[in-house]
Amino acid sequence: QVQLVESGGGLVQAGGSLRLSCAASGSIFNIHAMGWYRQAPGNQRELVAASGGTTHYADSVKGRFTISKDNAKNTVYLQMNSLKPEDTAVYYCYAARRGSVWYEGDFWGQGTQVTVSS
């Protein structure tokens, strides 16, 4: 089993920045990809960024968001710059176990709210 604990959400003005963190513990040897989804009210959950063999970004965040990993801390980060009101959502960290597709969430964090004011 893998546990994911997120931190770093909050309220920021448009144009500002936030950094989300997701610390993994447990059977982390079984993970081959980690990343972030987000879900705004009334919308489907959207894949924002992922890091495994390759790095993936949603078109809506390319050039503004950066995903990175600190393997020593078993932590993945999402640096979000030039934030827009449409980035407002609950952000969920996920991990994919070996054998799963890289964007498949086998394990999930509790979610952290990001609110961008105009």
Side-chain angles (χ1 to χ4, degrees):
Q1 193 70 350
V2 174
Q3 295 78 43
L4 303 174
V5 178
E6 304 163 11
S7 60
L11 172 65
V12 65
Q13 288 188 332
S17 298
L18 284 173
R19 189 177 80 156
L20 306 182
S21 301
C22 176
S25 61
S27 302
I28 57 176
F29 62 88
N30 198 29
I31 296 172
H32 77 100
M34 292 182 68
W36 299 86
Y37 277 81
R38 68 185 179 186
Q39 187 167 22
N43 291 358
Q44 290 188 330
R45 193 169 289 194
E46 171 192 25
L47 178 62
V48 176
S51 179
T54 60
T55 302
H56 167 86
Y57 293 99
D59 288 343
S60 58
V61 307
K62 282 180 181 176
R64 300 188 298 122
F65 290 12
T66 303
I67 188 169
S68 61
K69 291 189 296 183
D70 185 333
N71 290 327
K73 296 182 178 180
N74 299 320
T75 299
V76 65
Y77 303 96
L78 185 68
Q79 178 66 45
M80 305 184 294
N81 298 329
S82 302
L83 283 160
K84 304 176 181 180
E86 51 263 44
D87 294 318
T88 295
V90 178
Y91 284 69
Y92 297 91
C93 175
Y94 82 95
R97 62 163 60 99
R98 296 187 185 280
S100 295
V101 181
W102 58 270
Y103 53 81
E104 187 168 355
D106 295 306
F107 308 102
W108 293 93
Q110 78 279 10
T112 186
Q113 177 71 46
V114 171
T115 302
V116 184
S117 63
S118 57

